[in-house]
Amino acid sequence: MAKYRMLLINDLRHILKDPMLMASLLGPMAIIAFARVLFPMISEWVEQRYTFTLSTYTDFAVIFLLTIVPLLPGTMAGLLMLDERDENIIAYYAITPLARKGYLCYRLFLPSVLSILFIVLFFLLSGIAKVQVESGYALILLALEAPCIALLLASFAANKVEGLALSKVNGLLIAGPIIVAFVPEPWQVLGMWVPTFWPAKCYMAAILNEPFSALSSFSMGLVLHIFLLTWMIRSFVKRID
C-alpha cells in the first residue's frame, strides 16, 4: 500500500498546484450544491415568472447532473496521465515495484472510487434524487465511465493542450440522458452507442418501478462499458510502448 500512498501524495501536490485539476476534483461538490440549493430556487422563480413548471423535469435534471459527475474525476486522472506520459514518468514506474500494471490499476481505480463517492453523496445530499435499489445499476455504469474518460485523454491526446480540448468534446456525453428523457422509445435505439445512455436508462427505469427494464439496460450498458474500457486500455498500452 505504501507505493500507492506515494502516488496519491504526488497527485495531491499536482492538484493543489493546478487550478484545472482542482476544479475537476471539487466540481462534483459544486454540482451537489447546485442541486440542493439553486435548482429548487430556479424552479420556483421560473414557475412564478413564466408559469412553467420546471420541477416536472426534476428526474431529467438528476440524471443530467449525475452524468457530469464522472466526467470531472475522469478528466482529472486523464490530465495527470498525460503529464506523466509526456515526462516519461510512466517508464520510471515500470521499473519500480509498482510496475506498469500497478500504475495503470491505480490510475483507473482512483477516478472510479471518486465517482462512486460523489454519486453516493449526490443521492444522499442533493434533495432531488430518488433512491431505489436499481439506482445502483446507474452508479456502477457511471463509475466505469470515469476511467474510460481518463484513458480517452491519455491515449488520443498528443499533449495536455489537446487533452483539455478533448475533455470539452466529452461534454457531448450529455446526449445520453437527453435521448432517454425526450426521444420517443422506437428512436432511442439510436442512442445505445452513447455510454451515458445506459445509466440514464437504468435510473429512469428504477424510478418508474421497472426492475426488469433496469436490469436489462444495466446488462447491455455493462457490456458496452467493458468493451470501451478494454479497447482504451489496449490503446493506451500501445501508446506508451
Side-chain angles (χ1 to χ4, degrees), residues 103-150:
Y103 165 81
L104 192 56
C105 287
Y106 167 82
R107 274 284 167 253
L108 302 184
F109 188 68
L110 180 62
S112 292
V113 170
L114 288 174
S115 295
I116 291 171
L117 172 64
F118 289 130
I119 291 168
V120 169
L121 288 175
F122 186 95
F123 276 122
L124 295 176
L125 303 177
S126 68
I128 61 174
K130 299 173 183 175
V131 182
Q132 304 284 347
V133 173
E134 292 81 8
S135 301
Y137 298 151
L139 186 150
I140 293 170
L141 295 181
L142 288 168
L144 287 174
E145 287 177 9
C148 288
I149 291 163

mmCIF file of all heavy atoms in Angstrom, residues 103-150:
data_model
loop_
_atom_site.group_PDB
_atom_site.id
_atom_site.type_symbol
_atom_site.label_atom_id
_atom_site.label_comp_id
_atom_site.label_asym_id
_atom_site.label_seq_id
_atom_site.Cartn_x
_atom_site.Cartn_y
_atom_site.Cartn_z
ATOM 1 N N TYR A 103 0.617 0.739 -11.732
ATOM 2 C CA TYR A 103 0.353 2.144 -12.044
ATOM 3 C C TYR A 103 -0.988 2.294 -12.746
ATOM 4 O O TYR A 103 -1.797 3.162 -12.379
ATOM 5 C CB TYR A 103 1.469 2.701 -12.931
ATOM 6 C CG TYR A 103 1.115 4.009 -13.601
ATOM 7 C CD1 TYR A 103 1.217 5.208 -12.924
ATOM 8 C CD2 TYR A 103 0.657 4.038 -14.923
ATOM 9 C CE1 TYR A 103 0.869 6.411 -13.527
ATOM 10 C CE2 TYR A 103 0.315 5.228 -15.533
ATOM 11 C CZ TYR A 103 0.422 6.409 -14.832
ATOM 12 O OH TYR A 103 0.067 7.594 -15.438
ATOM 13 N N LEU A 104 -1.220 1.453 -13.734
ATOM 14 C CA LEU A 104 -2.461 1.552 -14.503
ATOM 15 C C LEU A 104 -3.673 1.232 -13.633
ATOM 16 O O LEU A 104 -4.715 1.908 -13.733
ATOM 17 C CB LEU A 104 -2.401 0.609 -15.708
ATOM 18 C CG LEU A 104 -3.480 0.784 -16.772
ATOM 19 C CD1 LEU A 104 -3.498 2.213 -17.294
ATOM 20 C CD2 LEU A 104 -3.263 -0.196 -17.926
ATOM 21 N N CYS A 105 -3.556 0.242 -12.775
ATOM 22 C CA CYS A 105 -4.662 -0.100 -11.863
ATOM 23 C C CYS A 105 -4.998 1.085 -10.960
ATOM 24 O O CYS A 105 -6.175 1.407 -10.753
ATOM 25 C CB CYS A 105 -4.299 -1.317 -11.018
ATOM 26 S SG CYS A 105 -4.302 -2.883 -11.928
ATOM 27 N N TYR A 106 -3.969 1.723 -10.431
ATOM 28 C CA TYR A 106 -4.197 2.881 -9.566
ATOM 29 C C TYR A 106 -4.870 4.010 -10.327
ATOM 30 O O TYR A 106 -5.843 4.611 -9.844
ATOM 31 C CB TYR A 106 -2.860 3.358 -8.986
ATOM 32 C CG TYR A 106 -2.945 4.721 -8.328
ATOM 33 C CD1 TYR A 106 -3.408 4.847 -7.018
ATOM 34 C CD2 TYR A 106 -2.572 5.874 -9.019
ATOM 35 C CE1 TYR A 106 -3.499 6.093 -6.408
ATOM 36 C CE2 TYR A 106 -2.667 7.121 -8.421
ATOM 37 C CZ TYR A 106 -3.120 7.220 -7.120
ATOM 38 O OH TYR A 106 -3.218 8.462 -6.534
ATOM 39 N N ARG A 107 -4.363 4.309 -11.516
ATOM 40 C CA ARG A 107 -4.881 5.427 -12.306
ATOM 41 C C ARG A 107 -6.341 5.211 -12.716
ATOM 42 O O ARG A 107 -7.094 6.172 -12.865
ATOM 43 C CB ARG A 107 -4.018 5.629 -13.555
ATOM 44 C CG ARG A 107 -2.818 6.495 -13.315
ATOM 45 C CD ARG A 107 -3.213 7.955 -13.226
ATOM 46 N NE ARG A 107 -2.129 8.768 -12.692
ATOM 47 C CZ ARG A 107 -2.117 9.284 -11.489
ATOM 48 N NH1 ARG A 107 -3.122 9.072 -10.677
ATOM 49 N NH2 ARG A 107 -1.107 10.024 -11.085
ATOM 50 N N LEU A 108 -6.754 3.966 -12.918
ATOM 51 C CA LEU A 108 -8.133 3.686 -13.307
ATOM 52 C C LEU A 108 -9.039 3.505 -12.096
ATOM 53 O O LEU A 108 -10.231 3.814 -12.152
ATOM 54 C CB LEU A 108 -8.183 2.425 -14.184
ATOM 55 C CG LEU A 108 -7.349 2.476 -15.470
ATOM 56 C CD1 LEU A 108 -7.571 1.221 -16.286
ATOM 57 C CD2 LEU A 108 -7.675 3.708 -16.293
ATOM 58 N N PHE A 109 -8.464 3.025 -11.005
ATOM 59 C CA PHE A 109 -9.258 2.780 -9.801
ATOM 60 C C PHE A 109 -9.625 4.085 -9.096
ATOM 61 O O PHE A 109 -10.755 4.251 -8.627
ATOM 62 C CB PHE A 109 -8.454 1.880 -8.851
ATOM 63 C CG PHE A 109 -9.224 1.399 -7.660
ATOM 64 C CD1 PHE A 109 -10.267 0.498 -7.804
ATOM 65 C CD2 PHE A 109 -8.903 1.841 -6.388
ATOM 66 C CE1 PHE A 109 -10.979 0.049 -6.702
ATOM 67 C CE2 PHE A 109 -9.604 1.401 -5.274
ATOM 68 C CZ PHE A 109 -10.642 0.497 -5.434
ATOM 69 N N LEU A 110 -8.683 5.035 -9.049
ATOM 70 C CA LEU A 110 -8.915 6.274 -8.317
ATOM 71 C C LEU A 110 -10.114 7.069 -8.842
ATOM 72 O O LEU A 110 -10.990 7.445 -8.042
ATOM 73 C CB LEU A 110 -7.652 7.140 -8.328
ATOM 74 C CG LEU A 110 -7.760 8.474 -7.590
ATOM 75 C CD1 LEU A 110 -8.035 8.246 -6.101
ATOM 76 C CD2 LEU A 110 -6.486 9.303 -7.778
ATOM 77 N N PRO A 111 -10.216 7.363 -10.157
ATOM 78 C CA PRO A 111 -11.388 8.121 -10.611
ATOM 79 C C PRO A 111 -12.699 7.372 -10.422
ATOM 80 O O PRO A 111 -13.749 7.985 -10.207
ATOM 81 C CB PRO A 111 -11.101 8.386 -12.096
ATOM 82 C CG PRO A 111 -10.095 7.373 -12.489
ATOM 83 C CD PRO A 111 -9.271 7.119 -11.261
ATOM 84 N N SER A 112 -12.642 6.033 -10.484
ATOM 85 C CA SER A 112 -13.857 5.248 -10.240
ATOM 86 C C SER A 112 -14.321 5.395 -8.799
ATOM 87 O O SER A 112 -15.515 5.585 -8.531
ATOM 88 C CB SER A 112 -13.607 3.768 -10.554
ATOM 89 O OG SER A 112 -13.406 3.566 -11.927
ATOM 90 N N VAL A 113 -13.381 5.304 -7.865
ATOM 91 C CA VAL A 113 -13.727 5.440 -6.443
ATOM 92 C C VAL A 113 -14.260 6.841 -6.156
ATOM 93 O O VAL A 113 -15.255 7.010 -5.431
ATOM 94 C CB VAL A 113 -12.496 5.140 -5.561
ATOM 95 C CG1 VAL A 113 -12.762 5.509 -4.107
ATOM 96 C CG2 VAL A 113 -12.131 3.669 -5.656
ATOM 97 N N LEU A 114 -13.608 7.860 -6.719
ATOM 98 C CA LEU A 114 -14.074 9.232 -6.517
ATOM 99 C C LEU A 114 -15.479 9.410 -7.092
ATOM 100 O O LEU A 114 -16.343 10.073 -6.482
ATOM 101 C CB LEU A 114 -13.108 10.220 -7.174
ATOM 102 C CG LEU A 114 -11.757 10.399 -6.476
ATOM 103 C CD1 LEU A 114 -10.844 11.297 -7.311
ATOM 104 C CD2 LEU A 114 -11.926 10.983 -5.082
ATOM 105 N N SER A 115 -15.725 8.815 -8.252
ATOM 106 C CA SER A 115 -17.049 8.920 -8.871
ATOM 107 C C SER A 115 -18.112 8.276 -7.989
ATOM 108 O O SER A 115 -19.195 8.841 -7.788
ATOM 109 C CB SER A 115 -17.046 8.264 -10.252
ATOM 110 O OG SER A 115 -16.203 8.955 -11.138
ATOM 111 N N ILE A 116 -17.823 7.088 -7.463
ATOM 112 C CA ILE A 116 -18.774 6.409 -6.578
ATOM 113 C C ILE A 116 -19.053 7.270 -5.350
ATOM 114 O O ILE A 116 -20.208 7.442 -4.941
ATOM 115 C CB ILE A 116 -18.229 5.029 -6.164
ATOM 116 C CG1 ILE A 116 -18.216 4.087 -7.373
ATOM 117 C CG2 ILE A 116 -19.065 4.434 -5.035
ATOM 118 C CD1 ILE A 116 -17.509 2.774 -7.117
ATOM 119 N N LEU A 117 -17.998 7.824 -4.770
ATOM 120 C CA LEU A 117 -18.158 8.659 -3.577
ATOM 121 C C LEU A 117 -19.053 9.855 -3.868
ATOM 122 O O LEU A 117 -20.013 10.129 -3.115
ATOM 123 C CB LEU A 117 -16.787 9.132 -3.096
ATOM 124 C CG LEU A 117 -16.787 10.167 -1.961
ATOM 125 C CD1 LEU A 117 -17.396 9.573 -0.688
ATOM 126 C CD2 LEU A 117 -15.366 10.660 -1.688
ATOM 127 N N PHE A 118 -18.772 10.565 -4.956
ATOM 128 C CA PHE A 118 -19.540 11.770 -5.267
ATOM 129 C C PHE A 118 -20.975 11.445 -5.674
ATOM 130 O O PHE A 118 -21.907 12.195 -5.357
ATOM 131 C CB PHE A 118 -18.847 12.561 -6.374
ATOM 132 C CG PHE A 118 -17.579 13.239 -5.942
ATOM 133 C CD1 PHE A 118 -16.412 13.106 -6.677
ATOM 134 C CD2 PHE A 118 -17.547 14.009 -4.797
ATOM 135 C CE1 PHE A 118 -15.245 13.732 -6.279
ATOM 136 C CE2 PHE A 118 -16.382 14.642 -4.383
ATOM 137 C CZ PHE A 118 -15.222 14.502 -5.121
ATOM 138 N N ILE A 119 -21.168 10.327 -6.374
ATOM 139 C CA ILE A 119 -22.530 9.944 -6.781
ATOM 140 C C ILE A 119 -23.362 9.567 -5.562
ATOM 141 O O ILE A 119 -24.536 9.944 -5.446
ATOM 142 C CB ILE A 119 -22.475 8.789 -7.803
ATOM 143 C CG1 ILE A 119 -21.903 9.292 -9.133
ATOM 144 C CG2 ILE A 119 -23.872 8.207 -8.037
ATOM 145 C CD1 ILE A 119 -21.535 8.185 -10.104
ATOM 146 N N VAL A 120 -22.767 8.821 -4.635
ATOM 147 C CA VAL A 120 -23.471 8.471 -3.394
ATOM 148 C C VAL A 120 -23.826 9.736 -2.618
ATOM 149 O O VAL A 120 -24.947 9.874 -2.103
ATOM 150 C CB VAL A 120 -22.612 7.518 -2.533
ATOM 151 C CG1 VAL A 120 -23.219 7.367 -1.139
ATOM 152 C CG2 VAL A 120 -22.502 6.155 -3.201
ATOM 153 N N LEU A 121 -22.882 10.681 -2.541
ATOM 154 C CA LEU A 121 -23.161 11.951 -1.870
ATOM 155 C C LEU A 121 -24.287 12.706 -2.573
ATOM 156 O O LEU A 121 -25.127 13.336 -1.920
ATOM 157 C CB LEU A 121 -21.894 12.812 -1.821
ATOM 158 C CG LEU A 121 -20.806 12.352 -0.848
ATOM 159 C CD1 LEU A 121 -19.563 13.224 -0.989
ATOM 160 C CD2 LEU A 121 -21.317 12.396 0.593
ATOM 161 N N PHE A 122 -24.311 12.635 -3.906
ATOM 162 C CA PHE A 122 -25.382 13.292 -4.650
ATOM 163 C C PHE A 122 -26.732 12.677 -4.281
ATOM 164 O O PHE A 122 -27.703 13.402 -4.026
ATOM 165 C CB PHE A 122 -25.138 13.159 -6.154
ATOM 166 C CG PHE A 122 -26.120 13.931 -6.995
ATOM 167 C CD1 PHE A 122 -25.821 15.210 -7.448
ATOM 168 C CD2 PHE A 122 -27.351 13.390 -7.336
ATOM 169 C CE1 PHE A 122 -26.734 15.926 -8.207
ATOM 170 C CE2 PHE A 122 -28.273 14.093 -8.094
ATOM 171 C CZ PHE A 122 -27.953 15.368 -8.535
ATOM 172 N N PHE A 123 -26.794 11.368 -4.251
ATOM 173 C CA PHE A 123 -28.051 10.701 -3.880
ATOM 174 C C PHE A 123 -28.491 11.083 -2.464
ATOM 175 O O PHE A 123 -29.684 11.272 -2.209
ATOM 176 C CB PHE A 123 -27.890 9.183 -3.977
ATOM 177 C CG PHE A 123 -28.087 8.632 -5.358
ATOM 178 C CD1 PHE A 123 -27.084 7.906 -5.983
ATOM 179 C CD2 PHE A 123 -29.272 8.822 -6.044
ATOM 180 C CE1 PHE A 123 -27.257 7.393 -7.259
ATOM 181 C CE2 PHE A 123 -29.461 8.313 -7.320
ATOM 182 C CZ PHE A 123 -28.448 7.592 -7.932
ATOM 183 N N LEU A 124 -27.532 11.221 -1.563
ATOM 184 C CA LEU A 124 -27.867 11.484 -0.169
ATOM 185 C C LEU A 124 -28.155 12.954 0.121
ATOM 186 O O LEU A 124 -28.997 13.262 0.974
ATOM 187 C CB LEU A 124 -26.715 11.005 0.737
ATOM 188 C CG LEU A 124 -26.439 9.507 0.768
ATOM 189 C CD1 LEU A 124 -25.216 9.213 1.626
ATOM 190 C CD2 LEU A 124 -27.646 8.736 1.274
ATOM 191 N N LEU A 125 -27.463 13.854 -0.585
ATOM 192 C CA LEU A 125 -27.492 15.263 -0.198
ATOM 193 C C LEU A 125 -28.188 16.195 -1.177
ATOM 194 O O LEU A 125 -28.522 17.327 -0.805
ATOM 195 C CB LEU A 125 -26.051 15.775 0.014
ATOM 196 C CG LEU A 125 -25.198 15.032 1.039
ATOM 197 C CD1 LEU A 125 -23.793 15.618 1.072
ATOM 198 C CD2 LEU A 125 -25.831 15.090 2.414
ATOM 199 N N SER A 126 -28.418 15.754 -2.404
ATOM 200 C CA SER A 126 -28.959 16.676 -3.404
ATOM 201 C C SER A 126 -30.392 17.106 -3.097
ATOM 202 O O SER A 126 -30.809 18.209 -3.458
ATOM 203 C CB SER A 126 -28.910 16.041 -4.799
ATOM 204 O OG SER A 126 -29.822 14.956 -4.891
ATOM 205 N N GLY A 127 -31.143 16.233 -2.452
ATOM 206 C CA GLY A 127 -32.525 16.557 -2.141
ATOM 207 C C GLY A 127 -33.493 16.375 -3.296
ATOM 208 O O GLY A 127 -34.705 16.539 -3.119
ATOM 209 N N ILE A 128 -32.984 16.031 -4.484
ATOM 210 C CA ILE A 128 -33.875 15.849 -5.634
ATOM 211 C C ILE A 128 -33.780 14.445 -6.233
ATOM 212 O O ILE A 128 -34.592 14.076 -7.073
ATOM 213 C CB ILE A 128 -33.604 16.897 -6.743
ATOM 214 C CG1 ILE A 128 -32.165 16.779 -7.259
ATOM 215 C CG2 ILE A 128 -33.885 18.303 -6.233
ATOM 216 C CD1 ILE A 128 -31.878 17.680 -8.449
ATOM 217 N N ALA A 129 -32.791 13.675 -5.808
ATOM 218 C CA ALA A 129 -32.610 12.324 -6.361
ATOM 219 C C ALA A 129 -33.509 11.321 -5.648
ATOM 220 O O ALA A 129 -33.710 11.400 -4.431
ATOM 221 C CB ALA A 129 -31.151 11.891 -6.240
ATOM 222 N N LYS A 130 -34.068 10.405 -6.421
ATOM 223 C CA LYS A 130 -34.882 9.324 -5.864
ATOM 224 C C LYS A 130 -34.021 8.065 -5.811
ATOM 225 O O LYS A 130 -33.444 7.654 -6.818
ATOM 226 C CB LYS A 130 -36.113 9.084 -6.734
ATOM 227 C CG LYS A 130 -37.037 10.295 -6.827
ATOM 228 C CD LYS A 130 -38.149 10.060 -7.837
ATOM 229 C CE LYS A 130 -39.028 11.294 -7.991
ATOM 230 N NZ LYS A 130 -40.040 11.120 -9.062
ATOM 231 N N VAL A 131 -33.937 7.483 -4.644
ATOM 232 C CA VAL A 131 -33.056 6.336 -4.444
ATOM 233 C C VAL A 131 -33.873 5.050 -4.442
ATOM 234 O O VAL A 131 -34.777 4.878 -3.636
ATOM 235 C CB VAL A 131 -32.273 6.460 -3.128
ATOM 236 C CG1 VAL A 131 -31.319 5.274 -2.966
ATOM 237 C CG2 VAL A 131 -31.510 7.777 -3.085
ATOM 238 N N GLN A 132 -33.552 4.180 -5.388
ATOM 239 C CA GLN A 132 -34.128 2.835 -5.452
ATOM 240 C C GLN A 132 -32.982 1.828 -5.459
ATOM 241 O O GLN A 132 -31.823 2.193 -5.703
ATOM 242 C CB GLN A 132 -34.955 2.669 -6.739
ATOM 243 C CG GLN A 132 -36.055 3.699 -6.916
ATOM 244 C CD GLN A 132 -37.250 3.433 -6.024
ATOM 245 O OE1 GLN A 132 -37.370 2.357 -5.454
ATOM 246 N NE2 GLN A 132 -38.129 4.416 -5.900
ATOM 247 N N VAL A 133 -33.282 0.582 -5.194
ATOM 248 C CA VAL A 133 -32.243 -0.457 -5.235
ATOM 249 C C VAL A 133 -31.582 -0.473 -6.613
ATOM 250 O O VAL A 133 -30.362 -0.582 -6.744
ATOM 251 C CB VAL A 133 -32.837 -1.838 -4.906
ATOM 252 C CG1 VAL A 133 -31.792 -2.924 -5.113
ATOM 253 C CG2 VAL A 133 -33.362 -1.861 -3.470
ATOM 254 N N GLU A 134 -32.427 -0.342 -7.653
ATOM 255 C CA GLU A 134 -31.908 -0.393 -9.024
ATOM 256 C C GLU A 134 -31.057 0.827 -9.389
ATOM 257 O O GLU A 134 -30.384 0.821 -10.427
ATOM 258 C CB GLU A 134 -33.062 -0.511 -10.023
ATOM 259 C CG GLU A 134 -33.806 -1.834 -9.960
ATOM 260 C CD GLU A 134 -34.827 -1.880 -8.835
ATOM 261 O OE1 GLU A 134 -35.052 -0.828 -8.199
ATOM 262 O OE2 GLU A 134 -35.380 -2.967 -8.577
ATOM 263 N N SER A 135 -31.078 1.871 -8.542
ATOM 264 C CA SER A 135 -30.223 3.037 -8.792
ATOM 265 C C SER A 135 -28.746 2.647 -8.754
ATOM 266 O O SER A 135 -27.895 3.324 -9.330
ATOM 267 C CB SER A 135 -30.495 4.130 -7.759
ATOM 268 O OG SER A 135 -31.836 4.553 -7.783
ATOM 269 N N GLY A 136 -28.467 1.541 -8.075
ATOM 270 C CA GLY A 136 -27.092 1.042 -8.030
ATOM 271 C C GLY A 136 -26.562 0.675 -9.404
ATOM 272 O O GLY A 136 -25.352 0.750 -9.649
ATOM 273 N N TYR A 137 -27.445 0.279 -10.318
ATOM 274 C CA TYR A 137 -27.015 -0.026 -11.676
ATOM 275 C C TYR A 137 -26.427 1.217 -12.345
ATOM 276 O O TYR A 137 -25.371 1.162 -13.000
ATOM 277 C CB TYR A 137 -28.195 -0.532 -12.515
ATOM 278 C CG TYR A 137 -28.827 -1.810 -12.040
ATOM 279 C CD1 TYR A 137 -30.176 -2.075 -12.273
ATOM 280 C CD2 TYR A 137 -28.082 -2.777 -11.359
ATOM 281 C CE1 TYR A 137 -30.769 -3.255 -11.849
ATOM 282 C CE2 TYR A 137 -28.668 -3.957 -10.932
ATOM 283 C CZ TYR A 137 -30.015 -4.191 -11.180
ATOM 284 O OH TYR A 137 -30.594 -5.367 -10.757
ATOM 285 N N ALA A 138 -27.131 2.338 -12.191
ATOM 286 C CA ALA A 138 -26.643 3.593 -12.768
ATOM 287 C C ALA A 138 -25.313 3.985 -12.139
ATOM 288 O O ALA A 138 -24.395 4.453 -12.830
ATOM 289 C CB ALA A 138 -27.673 4.699 -12.581
ATOM 290 N N LEU A 139 -25.197 3.792 -10.831
ATOM 291 C CA LEU A 139 -23.955 4.135 -10.134
ATOM 292 C C LEU A 139 -22.771 3.355 -10.693
ATOM 293 O O LEU A 139 -21.703 3.916 -10.947
ATOM 294 C CB LEU A 139 -24.122 3.861 -8.635
ATOM 295 C CG LEU A 139 -22.974 4.288 -7.716
ATOM 296 C CD1 LEU A 139 -23.523 4.644 -6.335
ATOM 297 C CD2 LEU A 139 -21.934 3.188 -7.570
ATOM 298 N N ILE A 140 -22.945 2.052 -10.893
ATOM 299 C CA ILE A 140 -21.857 1.211 -11.399
ATOM 300 C C ILE A 140 -21.418 1.653 -12.797
ATOM 301 O O ILE A 140 -20.219 1.791 -13.083
ATOM 302 C CB ILE A 140 -22.279 -0.271 -11.412
ATOM 303 C CG1 ILE A 140 -22.465 -0.774 -9.979
ATOM 304 C CG2 ILE A 140 -21.242 -1.131 -12.143
ATOM 305 C CD1 ILE A 140 -23.119 -2.145 -9.893
ATOM 306 N N LEU A 141 -22.393 1.897 -13.671
ATOM 307 C CA LEU A 141 -22.056 2.289 -15.044
ATOM 308 C C LEU A 141 -21.380 3.658 -15.081
ATOM 309 O O LEU A 141 -20.421 3.861 -15.835
ATOM 310 C CB LEU A 141 -23.319 2.298 -15.904
ATOM 311 C CG LEU A 141 -23.993 0.940 -16.125
ATOM 312 C CD1 LEU A 141 -25.221 1.102 -17.020
ATOM 313 C CD2 LEU A 141 -23.023 -0.061 -16.751
ATOM 314 N N LEU A 142 -21.865 4.584 -14.265
ATOM 315 C CA LEU A 142 -21.244 5.909 -14.224
ATOM 316 C C LEU A 142 -19.823 5.822 -13.683
ATOM 317 O O LEU A 142 -18.923 6.537 -14.148
ATOM 318 C CB LEU A 142 -22.083 6.854 -13.371
ATOM 319 C CG LEU A 142 -23.414 7.304 -13.988
ATOM 320 C CD1 LEU A 142 -24.282 7.995 -12.942
ATOM 321 C CD2 LEU A 142 -23.183 8.224 -15.184
ATOM 322 N N ALA A 143 -19.595 4.949 -12.700
ATOM 323 C CA ALA A 143 -18.252 4.784 -12.151
ATOM 324 C C ALA A 143 -17.291 4.226 -13.197
ATOM 325 O O ALA A 143 -16.101 4.559 -13.199
ATOM 326 C CB ALA A 143 -18.299 3.866 -10.930
ATOM 327 N N LEU A 144 -17.796 3.380 -14.096
ATOM 328 C CA LEU A 144 -16.957 2.826 -15.165
ATOM 329 C C LEU A 144 -16.611 3.871 -16.228
ATOM 330 O O LEU A 144 -15.641 3.719 -16.966
ATOM 331 C CB LEU A 144 -17.664 1.634 -15.820
ATOM 332 C CG LEU A 144 -17.730 0.349 -14.998
ATOM 333 C CD1 LEU A 144 -18.589 -0.692 -15.718
ATOM 334 C CD2 LEU A 144 -16.329 -0.210 -14.758
ATOM 335 N N GLU A 145 -17.412 4.919 -16.306
ATOM 336 C CA GLU A 145 -17.150 5.944 -17.317
ATOM 337 C C GLU A 145 -15.940 6.797 -16.971
ATOM 338 O O GLU A 145 -15.254 7.305 -17.867
ATOM 339 C CB GLU A 145 -18.391 6.821 -17.513
ATOM 340 C CG GLU A 145 -19.482 6.097 -18.268
ATOM 341 C CD GLU A 145 -20.751 6.909 -18.416
ATOM 342 O OE1 GLU A 145 -20.728 8.108 -18.081
ATOM 343 O OE2 GLU A 145 -21.757 6.345 -18.874
ATOM 344 N N ALA A 146 -15.659 6.960 -15.682
ATOM 345 C CA ALA A 146 -14.528 7.801 -15.274
ATOM 346 C C ALA A 146 -13.188 7.285 -15.825
ATOM 347 O O ALA A 146 -12.434 8.056 -16.427
ATOM 348 C CB ALA A 146 -14.488 7.923 -13.754
ATOM 349 N N PRO A 147 -12.843 5.994 -15.662
ATOM 350 C CA PRO A 147 -11.580 5.526 -16.251
ATOM 351 C C PRO A 147 -11.594 5.542 -17.770
ATOM 352 O O PRO A 147 -10.542 5.721 -18.397
ATOM 353 C CB PRO A 147 -11.439 4.096 -15.704
ATOM 354 C CG PRO A 147 -12.810 3.685 -15.294
ATOM 355 C CD PRO A 147 -13.485 4.940 -14.837
ATOM 356 N N CYS A 148 -12.760 5.363 -18.384
ATOM 357 C CA CYS A 148 -12.841 5.447 -19.849
ATOM 358 C C CYS A 148 -12.469 6.854 -20.317
ATOM 359 O O CYS A 148 -11.741 7.020 -21.310
ATOM 360 C CB CYS A 148 -14.253 5.103 -20.332
ATOM 361 S SG CYS A 148 -14.692 3.354 -20.205
ATOM 362 N N ILE A 149 -12.946 7.863 -19.613
ATOM 363 C CA ILE A 149 -12.636 9.248 -19.966
ATOM 364 C C ILE A 149 -11.156 9.529 -19.759
ATOM 365 O O ILE A 149 -10.502 10.172 -20.595
ATOM 366 C CB ILE A 149 -13.508 10.204 -19.125
ATOM 367 C CG1 ILE A 149 -14.969 10.080 -19.552
ATOM 368 C CG2 ILE A 149 -13.036 11.650 -19.260
ATOM 369 C CD1 ILE A 149 -15.951 10.654 -18.561
ATOM 370 N N ALA A 150 -10.599 9.026 -18.651
ATOM 371 C CA ALA A 150 -9.172 9.206 -18.389
ATOM 372 C C ALA A 150 -8.331 8.593 -19.493
ATOM 373 O O ALA A 150 -7.374 9.205 -19.995
ATOM 374 C CB ALA A 150 -8.809 8.594 -17.037
#
